Amino acid sequence: MPEEATLEHTPTWVVAAICTVIVAISLAVERLLHYLGKFLKHKGQNALFSALQKIKEELMLLGFISLLLTVSQGLISNICVPKMVSSRMLPCKEEAIKPSNAVGNESCPKEGEVPLLSLEALHQLHIFIFVLAVVHVVFCATTMVLGGAKIKRWKHWEVAIQNEIANSRGTETNLMHREHHTMFVQNRAGNFWRRAAVVSWTIAFLKQFYSSVSKSDYRALRAGFIMKHCRSNPKFDFHKYMMRTLEDDFKKVVGISWYLWLFVVIFLLLNVDGWHTYFWLSFLPLILLLIVGAKLEHIITKIAQDAAEGIINERERVQEGPHVRPSDDHFWFGKPGIVLYLIHFILFQNSFEIAFFFWIWTTYGFDSCIMESVPYLIPRLVMGVLTQVLCSYSTLPLYALVTQMGDMFKKSIFDEHTTESLHGWARGIKKKTKMRSQSSSLLGLTSQRKESFSSGLEIQLARMESA
């Protein structure tokens, strides 16, 4: 029986096209199930909604992609194309390709035609998608564990602050508050030259490599968050809230979103012999990570500069010293969530690089034509390790703290039961007011006000969830 062509001898445009179709169908089904769930929940079909959630858990996107590849492999392998079309954009040199009589012509009886994608190549693609998903989950989990371990070291700062508040009187608390904030401003924006954009950005870039978050930074940003969002509760456990938001964000980061699958398709398409695509792409996650780290550090500096320039009124300055003011304006396009998307992409791209290397090594061997030479390979691996370490010990802890400096607090400020109760309460008021509005014009005015209130509450809860 003739030997089938592997992915080494399959055009990259074919691999990218097959992945595009499979992923598009999978994402469409996932979205369909999502909207069906929202419809059932809106109609109060709780039993059907719970059953649908179980189906979604069992039919994960990766599993559905795997299922589609398995079901459609016979159909795909029977598609025949001219050999001239099948010899373009190859990952290996054309002379390394086996003769056409070794490429399984049984499924393509016409002379000069070859299968679009062989069963062997489909099987290898199947394995690669699985390896990519596993490596991404492992890398994300490793980053979260290591980064979370560093953030937990800040717990003693939180305990010390709460002990100071509990053991001191109001005047003493205000005095300590002013002293710590003054120290924060001096450390971050005390020097005149630091106000220059070039100097402040350079310092921010370098600071992410050492002592990225100091005790005075934590105290000041914590106080700024509490003054904006929970002024009546100075003993609010900011550290615990920060850890909960990080856990919620991890649920988003560990997934592979549609735009990440789009990048997979692009990377597979550009894996052409002589282009050294993966070598050049290996610089991307590290460069993006350095930019994100510098931006987060610069946000802290900018907050300190704003406090030093007297953004607050004179009365607050006399009583409590300079305040930090959380604001979305400090973030790119006024959206703190962009940072999470970038970290998501950085971790995924790094996982893709490492997963692709190990998959090629175990599938085809180190001497395979699809494996790049050592001078191109070693820098890729080194940058992958640097990205993983830097993200774990510097960027992720920075993100966990600085992302709280936006205009909105996140839903993690409440526990899961409280959040669901608020949603249910808002929906209940809206439903009752609609029923009452049909029975009485007098109640209609009251119901209109209640409905407006409940709608506003739902909007605020929705903004919390998306923040």
Side-chain angles (χ1 to χ4, degrees):
M1 183 176 178
E3 184 180 357
E4 293 185 329
T6 63
L7 285 180
E8 292 177 299
H9 310 123
T10 302
T12 58
W13 68 266
V14 172
V15 178
I18 297 298
C19 282
T20 300
V21 174
I22 297 297
V23 171
I25 295 174
S26 302
L27 290 172
V29 172
E30 191 273 337
R31 285 289 89 188
L32 179 63
L33 293 176
H34 172 75
Y35 288 117
L36 178 59
K38 290 182 66 175
F39 174 78
L40 293 175
K41 194 171 183 179
H42 179 72
K43 293 297 183 180
Q45 301 291 334
N46 295 328
L48 291 177
F49 176 75
S50 299
L52 183 64
Q53 290 298 107
K54 288 291 183 182
I55 294 174
K56 287 182 64 176
E57 291 174 3
E58 295 175 2
L59 191 63
M60 298 295 288
L61 184 60
L62 177 63
F64 195 76
I65 291 175
S66 176
L67 177 62
L68 276 178
L69 281 172
T70 303
V71 171
S72 61
Q73 62 182 5
L75 176 64
I76 295 173
S77 62
N78 286 326
I79 299 176
C80 299
V81 295
K83 187 175 184 296
M84 182 180 298
V85 175
S86 183
S87 61
R88 297 179 181 179
M89 299 184 69
L90 297 167
C92 292
K93 293 181 180 179
E94 192 168 359
E95 54 265 26
I97 302 178
K98 299 175 179 63
S100 59
N101 60 0
V103 186
N105 288 330
E106 290 183 352
S107 58
C108 296
K110 291 185 179 180
E111 186 177 355
E113 288 190 347
V114 292
L116 180 67
L117 196 64
S118 68
L119 288 174
E120 177 66 19
L122 273 170
H123 177 66
Q124 292 168 352
L125 180 61
H126 196 163
I127 294 174
F128 169 67
I129 291 176
F130 176 77
V131 170
L132 172 61
V134 171
V135 172
H136 177 60
V137 171
V138 171
F139 271 37
C140 288
T142 302
T143 302
M144 294 296 294
V145 169
L146 296 178
K150 183 174 181 179
I151 297 171
K152 286 180 180 178
R153 293 167 57 187
W154 302 345
K155 179 65 177 178
H156 69 277
W157 294 344
E158 181 73 31
V159 173
I161 294 171
Q162 300 207 19
N163 288 338
E164 289 174 1
I165 295 174
N167 298 329
S168 61
R169 293 174 295 180
T171 306
E172 295 175 347
T173 301
N174 290 339
L175 181 60
M176 287 187 296
H177 178 82
R178 182 166 55 183
E179 289 176 353
H180 291 308
H181 279 62
T182 302
M183 184 183 301
F184 166 68
V185 171
Q186 289 177 348
N187 291 340
R188 285 281 181 171
N191 193 309
F192 171 78
W193 294 104
R194 288 193 177 188
R195 299 180 185 178
V198 175
V199 176
S200 62
W201 274 102
T202 302
I203 294 175
F205 177 82
L206 296 175
K207 192 169 177 58
Q208 63 182 308
F209 300 106
Y210 68 95
S211 185
S212 57
V213 176
S214 65
K215 185 177 181 179
S216 62
D217 295 338
Y218 181 85
R219 281 179 171 272
L221 299 185
R222 175 191 182 276
F225 177 88
I226 290 177
M227 288 293 292
K228 185 174 181 68
H229 299 299
C230 45
R231 186 187 291 259
S232 62
N233 184 18
K235 295 184 68 176
F236 174 76
D237 196 333
F238 178 70
H239 186 272
K240 185 177 180 180
Y241 161 73
M242 187 170 57
M243 292 299 295
R244 285 204 303 265
T245 60
L246 192 62
E247 291 171 0
D248 285 347
D249 290 340
F250 173 71
K251 298 174 184 177
K252 303 175 184 177
V253 170
V254 77
I256 304 181
S257 304
W258 66 268
Y259 53 88
L260 297 181
W261 283 116
L262 177 62
F263 279 107
V264 170
V265 171
I266 294 174
F267 297 152
L268 292 174
L269 177 65
L270 298 178
N271 183 30
V272 179
D273 177 64
W275 290 13
H276 304 293
T277 303
Y278 293 132
F279 170 74
W280 300 114
L281 286 175
S282 64
F283 290 90
L284 184 59
L286 183 58
I287 292 173
L288 284 178
L289 190 67
L290 294 175
I291 293 174
V292 169
K295 176 62 177 178
L296 293 173
E297 285 286 356
H298 192 260
I299 288 174
I300 301 178
T301 301
K302 190 67 173 65
I303 289 174
Q305 290 174 350
D306 288 348
E309 291 172 2
I311 301 296
I312 54 177
N313 60 51
E314 191 65 26
R315 180 184 176 189
E316 289 176 330
R317 184 193 303 278
V318 172
Q319 287 186 346
E320 300 182 6
H323 277 181
V324 301
R325 288 290 182 98
S327 173
D328 287 347
D329 295 337
H330 297 308
F331 296 85
W332 282 309
F333 305 106
K335 296 184 180 296
I338 291 178
V339 178
L340 181 63
Y341 284 114
L342 287 175
I343 292 177
H344 193 185
F345 173 75
I346 289 165
L347 288 174
F348 174 78
Q349 170 61 19
N350 198 45
S351 302
F352 180 88
E353 285 281 340
I354 303 300
F356 191 80
F357 165 74
F358 281 108
W359 173 69
I360 294 296
W361 189 10
T362 55
T363 304
Y364 304 112
F366 195 81
D367 297 327
S368 168
C369 60
I370 204 172
M371 180 77 78
E372 291 184 302
S373 59
V374 174
Y376 288 99
L377 187 60
I378 292 179
R380 286 175 55 190
L381 297 178
V382 170
M383 282 186 284
V385 173
L386 285 176
T387 300
Q388 193 70 17
V389 172
L390 185 62
C391 188
S392 300
Y393 288 104
S394 177
T395 311
L396 189 66
L398 264 174
Y399 165 79
L401 179 62
V402 178
T403 192
Q404 314 306 332
M405 295 298 105
D407 288 331
M408 294 289 296
F409 56 80
K410 301 185 180 181
K411 67 175 182 177
S412 303
I413 201 168
F414 306 118
D415 57 32
E416 185 177 353
H417 176 73
T418 305
T419 303
E420 183 59 33
S421 297
L422 287 171
H423 277 293
W425 182 55
R427 289 193 298 266
I429 292 177
K430 196 171 182 179
K431 186 176 180 179
K432 288 180 180 179
T433 52
K434 283 184 178 180
M435 294 175 61
R436 290 176 180 176
S437 64
Q438 298 174 358
S439 60
S440 172
S441 58
L442 179 61
L443 291 176
L445 180 60
T446 305
S447 64
Q448 185 177 4
R449 292 174 180 173
K450 288 184 177 180
E451 185 174 352
S452 175
F453 171 75
S454 62
S455 299
L457 178 60
E458 286 186 322
I459 292 172
Q460 290 294 326
L461 291 172
R463 290 183 64 189
M464 263 198 310
E465 290 181 345
S466 61

